[in-house]
Amino acid sequence: MWGGRTGALLRVCGLWPAGALGRRPLSCDAASLAGSGSSQCWNCGGPGGPTRGDGFFCPQCRALQPPDPTRDYFSLMDCNRAFRVDTAKLQTRYQQLQRLVHPDFFSQRSQTEKDFSEKHSTLVNDAYKTLLAPLSRGLYLLKLHGVEIPEGTDYKMDRQFLMEIMEINEKLAEAQSEAAMKEIESIVRAKQKEMTDYVSRAFEQDRERERERQRHRRREKQAPCREPDVGLDSIPGLQDHAPGQRQVPNRRATQGPFHQMF
């Protein structure tokens, strides 16, 4: 979807992360084992399997386990599920995980562990690249909320915003000096900060609304049940009277036809 000068603009914006390791192909056996979601160690049969935290290895035999298929990128990279993330902390976490699971450290291990290492390393790369860039991070957050934006939807963008992008792209194509490039970069970064702040506020407002809905549901569950009002005022003939007074119903009006004969 993004190509040519637009791709160059994204790199200037810092929306396209660099330094992530490339992918390697996985074998079919590794893919099937990684997707099994077993709670036992594949090697020794002990209580292992996909675990939280940094427990990628079986505590008994220290064999590398398959990735947890239920774990999202924010959990894997030890980040709060929010649009704003600490990118320095994210990079540190990325390096920490690659020191644990990178295939170079499993060259002398079993083929199964080599395959799992490939799977883990690819997952860590994907998580790092996705959460590092504001654009992909926001799209991933929307996906976690059940909203997916398909490719080829640029025409739905705000028209004024698209005009600004086109103008910046034209300046980028016409730039002839380093000073001109720096000026464009400063314009792009200012625009990026403006849009990032706007999207961040939108996600925070959504989180606050969700917290308010949860508080409302808790209050509803904790509220005592009210019994129906069965006081004297609910008796027919007593509603239409002055406040503080109770009207005594007519005795004959409350008796049946047989009693009214006497």
Side-chain angles (χ1 to χ4, degrees), residues 204 207-215 218:
E204 286 300 322
R207 290 180 63 188
E208 183 56 36
R209 283 194 294 267
E210 179 59 28
R211 285 193 289 263
E212 181 58 33
R213 284 192 291 266
Q214 292 176 357
R215 287 192 292 265
R218 285 195 295 267

Side-chain angles (χ1 to χ4, degrees), residues 23-94:
R23 296 187 182 184
R24 301 185 184 183
L26 297 178
S27 71
C28 295
D29 291 340
S32 61
L33 287 170
S36 63
S38 174
S39 60
Q40 293 183 332
C41 174
W42 62 271
N43 185 50
C44 68
T51 53
R52 296 288 177 179
D54 291 338
F56 293 100
F57 302 90
C58 173
Q60 279 75 37
C61 67
R62 302 302 299 167
L64 182 65
Q65 301 300 296
D68 184 350
T70 66
R71 195 172 192 181
D72 63 60
Y73 289 168
F74 288 97
S75 173
L76 177 63
M77 304 308 289
D78 194 24
C79 295
N80 293 328
R81 188 182 286 192
F83 184 69
R84 289 192 180 276
V85 299
D86 186 337
T87 55
K89 179 182 176 182
L90 178 66
Q91 186 172 11
T92 300
R93 174 68 171 175
Y94 169 75

Side-chain angles (χ1 to χ4, degrees), residues 20-241:
L21 299 174
R23 296 187 182 184
R24 301 185 184 183
L26 297 178
S27 71
C28 295
D29 291 340
S32 61
L33 287 170
S36 63
S38 174
S39 60
Q40 293 183 332
C41 174
W42 62 271
N43 185 50
C44 68
T51 53
R52 296 288 177 179
D54 291 338
F56 293 100
F57 302 90
C58 173
Q60 279 75 37
C61 67
R62 302 302 299 167
L64 182 65
Q65 301 300 296
D68 184 350
T70 66
R71 195 172 192 181
D72 63 60
Y73 289 168
F74 288 97
S75 173
L76 177 63
M77 304 308 289
D78 194 24
C79 295
N80 293 328
R81 188 182 286 192
F83 184 69
R84 289 192 180 276
V85 299
D86 186 337
T87 55
K89 179 182 176 182
L90 178 66
Q91 186 172 11
T92 300
R93 174 68 171 175
Y94 169 75
Q95 294 170 346
Q96 174 192 9
L97 292 180
Q98 287 295 3
R99 283 194 293 268
L100 283 175
V101 300
H102 194 271
D104 288 350
F105 300 112
F106 291 84
S107 59
Q108 304 301 318
R109 305 291 284 268
S110 68
Q111 185 60 45
T112 299
E113 287 182 278
K114 290 179 182 179
D115 293 337
F116 286 157
S117 173
E118 296 277 2
K119 186 73 173 178
H120 277 293
S121 185
T122 299
L123 187 62
V124 170
N125 282 338
D126 288 344
Y128 174 69
K129 290 189 295 183
T130 299
L131 300 187
L132 183 63
L135 177 61
S136 56
R137 188 193 314 142
L139 292 175
Y140 183 68
L141 265 175
L142 290 175
K143 184 177 179 180
L144 292 179
H145 284 80
V147 178
E148 294 196 48
I149 301 178
E151 294 187 2
T153 56
D154 286 0
Y155 68 92
K156 293 184 179 179
M157 287 185 179
D158 180 73
R159 191 175 187 85
Q160 181 180 355
F161 176 73
L162 287 177
M163 294 298 293
E164 292 176 359
I165 294 298
M166 291 175 62
E167 182 180 350
I168 292 174
N169 281 336
E170 289 176 0
K171 290 182 178 179
L172 187 63
E174 297 171 356
Q176 300 294 329
S177 65
E178 184 177 352
M181 291 293 293
K182 287 184 177 180
E183 181 183 357
I184 296 171
E185 182 178 357
S186 110
I187 293 173
V188 170
R189 292 194 181 281
K191 190 65 181 178
Q192 180 193 10
K193 184 179 184 307
E194 177 187 343
M195 299 303 296
T196 300
D197 291 344
Y198 176 82
V199 173
S200 180
R201 287 194 301 270
F203 276 113
E204 286 300 322
Q205 289 171 3
D206 184 72
R207 290 180 63 188
E208 183 56 36
R209 283 194 294 267
E210 179 59 28
R211 285 193 289 263
E212 181 58 33
R213 284 192 291 266
Q214 292 176 357
R215 287 192 292 265
H216 180 69
R217 285 194 289 266
R218 285 195 295 267
R219 286 195 297 266
E220 284 185 335
K221 290 180 180 180
Q222 295 172 358
C225 297
R226 294 185 59 187
E227 296 184 357
D229 188 359
V230 292
L232 292 176
D233 291 344
S234 64
I235 300 176
L238 294 184
Q239 295 95 335
D240 302 326
H241 59 271

